[in-house]
Amino acid sequence: MTVDFLTNILIKYSHFSSVIIEQDEADKYKEDFETLLVLNVLEKVSDPKYIWCKTCQSEGVEVHFVSKDRAFTLCTQDEYAGRDYFNPSELKQWRFNAPCLLQLFQKVIGIQSPTVNESIQELLWDFGIQKVNGANYHLFFCRNINAIENSKLSIVTSLPHSVVFYTGNPQIALPENVLLVPIVDLIQKVSNKGFFLASEVFEDFFPKNVYAAQKGGIELDKSMILQNNTIMYKPLRAGQFQNKTEKLPPLASRVIEHLYLIRKYSSPSKKLDEFEASLGSKKRVISREIKRINDLCGEHNMKPILHKYSDESWGINPELSSCK
């Protein structure tokens, strides 16, 4: 099936917490409708409390029962509209099952044990920390980002590497470290077996071999972090990098860390004999590690980490953002 019917449902869902499908729409997308029924993304409503308004065709309205075979609704958009009467026993409608869709979606992006926890009722769902294309992210789904109260945005924004799959059109400004992903752009096809991804779009959002910064890393520059004796570089987005170097020897990392700590001192550099006293290693060994760091930067086309001053002392490159 195509994704037109599902896209229409998700667009409605961004505006309304409950989406009801009635017979005329089911007939219009008959094949797609049957597929979503098989997947349990749509479920039959046996005791309707709300139906799609017959007058304005733009909202779900409450059902008022007169008797078993007689009920009516009132349009809230048109104040001059009268009651729309109908026979509830003849009504055929289906409700969008969001938790089921979210579980199917998690499976197709590679999550083996899908989880769906409602953080904000009928608005925000938490998938927890999950590995996608080899990198760990904290995943969420939001029906309508614009509807989240400011006081509750921290549910998403306070976590590292947050990803929000969303419907609708987000207008609220979120920090750049929060990755926003339109869920309708990722689903290319739907069959009785589940969803199929638009692989190129997915790779744009979740490229493979992404390296994530952790707490405790040293941000040498906006484009470069030293973490666990490894330099990560070429940022993709806040806190995530496309490349990393081979692991540095501990002494090379200590040289960088030591110079990083004094980078804003009145004397932000040290000569080799001063290094010898501070790090407890021989000058020739420290000189070898300085060369290793410089060669590494040149080999990977990174900004130089170290800078040699005219007095033969070494410091952190003052052109790096950590020195400014």
Side-chain angles (χ1 to χ4, degrees):
M1 64 170 270
T2 65
V3 295
D4 293 348
F5 185 38
L6 179 60
T7 298
N8 290 344
I9 291 172
L10 290 173
I11 290 172
K12 286 182 183 178
Y13 192 55
S14 69
H15 298 289
F16 309 104
S17 60
S18 178
V19 175
I20 300 299
I21 304 300
E22 297 194 1
Q23 187 66 57
D24 56 348
E25 192 169 9
D27 292 339
K28 182 179 178 181
Y29 296 97
K30 186 172 178 57
E31 182 180 349
D32 298 357
F33 169 77
E34 294 292 341
T35 300
L36 293 183
L37 272 184
V38 170
L39 295 174
N40 294 318
V41 172
L42 295 177
E43 54 185 8
K44 185 77 168 66
V45 178
S46 57
D47 183 20
K49 296 179 175 60
Y50 293 88
I51 65 171
W52 202 242
C53 181
K54 299 290 187 182
T55 298
C56 70
Q57 291 290 314
S58 65
E59 63 172 342
V61 285
E62 186 177 0
V63 174
H64 301 274
F65 284 86
V66 177
S67 65
K68 180 180 178 181
D69 299 322
R70 186 170 171 79
F72 68 90
T73 59
L74 285 170
C75 180
T76 67
Q77 304 296 318
D78 184 350
E79 60 181 314
Y80 300 106
R83 296 180 175 183
D84 286 317
Y85 284 95
F86 65 97
N87 184 343
S89 63
E90 297 176 352
L91 184 67
K92 291 183 179 180
Q93 63 176 204
W94 296 263
R95 182 182 294 110
F96 172 56
N97 183 344
C100 180
L101 176 133
L102 295 181
Q103 288 184 333
L104 290 168
F105 177 72
Q106 287 180 78
K107 286 181 180 178
V108 77
I109 64 173
I111 298 172
Q112 300 303 314
S113 301
T115 177
V116 180
N117 297 311
E118 206 168 21
S119 295
I120 303 176
Q121 186 175 7
E122 297 181 341
L123 184 60
L124 181 70
W125 289 260
D126 187 344
F127 297 168
I129 297 175
Q130 304 285 0
K131 184 167 285 189
V132 181
N133 257 5
N136 286 322
Y137 302 89
H138 199 120
L139 305 180
F140 295 89
F141 169 77
C142 189
R143 179 178 62 79
N144 185 345
I145 296 172
N146 307 316
I148 301 179
E149 298 174 15
N150 287 337
S151 61
K152 294 182 178 179
L153 279 174
S154 61
I155 296 174
V156 172
T157 59
S158 64
L159 298 169
H161 314 304
S162 292
V163 177
V164 180
F165 298 102
Y166 68 89
T167 59
N169 183 22
Q171 298 166 350
I172 193 168
L174 294 179
E176 64 175 17
N177 64 319
V178 177
L179 176 60
L180 296 177
V181 182
I183 194 170
V184 293
D185 287 2
L186 293 185
I187 302 174
Q188 184 178 48
K189 192 174 76 169
V190 183
S191 78
N192 292 350
K193 295 181 180 179
F195 300 155
F196 295 86
L197 287 179
S199 56
E200 290 185 4
V201 178
F202 184 74
E203 290 290 343
D204 283 343
F205 284 107
F206 298 97
K208 293 180 179 177
N209 302 320
V210 171
Y211 307 100
Q214 302 167 0
K215 288 184 179 179
I218 295 176
E219 184 180 285
L220 300 166
D221 190 70
K222 295 298 183 185
S223 63
M224 192 188 317
I225 284 182
L226 174 64
Q227 177 179 289
N228 299 328
N229 297 330
T230 300
I231 297 169
M232 296 187 297
Y233 63 103
K234 198 171 182 183
L236 288 170
R237 60 183 68 94
Q240 293 185 336
F241 296 81
Q242 185 170 330
N243 294 326
K244 70 176 182 179
T245 65
E246 64 268 19
K247 209 154 193 175
L248 287 169
L251 181 57
S253 291
R254 286 172 60 205
V255 168
I256 296 173
E257 290 168 4
H258 185 73
L259 293 177
Y260 176 84
L261 290 174
I262 67 169
R263 71 196 186 283
K264 295 187 178 180
Y265 285 13
S266 56
S267 299
S269 63
K270 284 194 173 180
K271 295 181 180 180
L272 289 178
D273 55 350
E274 293 174 311
F275 269 124
E276 191 174 51
S278 298
L279 301 180
S281 295
K282 299 294 183 182
K283 288 192 290 185
R284 61 179 176 79
V285 178
I286 293 172
S287 179
R288 183 188 66 201
E289 295 308 314
I290 288 174
K291 182 179 185 304
R292 187 195 304 274
I293 295 166
N294 289 336
D295 289 346
L296 192 73
C297 292
E299 178 184 336
H300 293 282
N301 199 28
M302 299 185 299
K303 289 183 181 179
I305 295 173
L306 304 181
H307 174 75
K308 189 177 184 179
Y309 290 86
S310 58
D311 63 355
E312 299 298 312
S313 65
W314 289 91
I316 292 292
N317 180 3
E319 295 300 316
L320 296 182
S321 60
S322 65
C323 293
K324 295 177 179 179

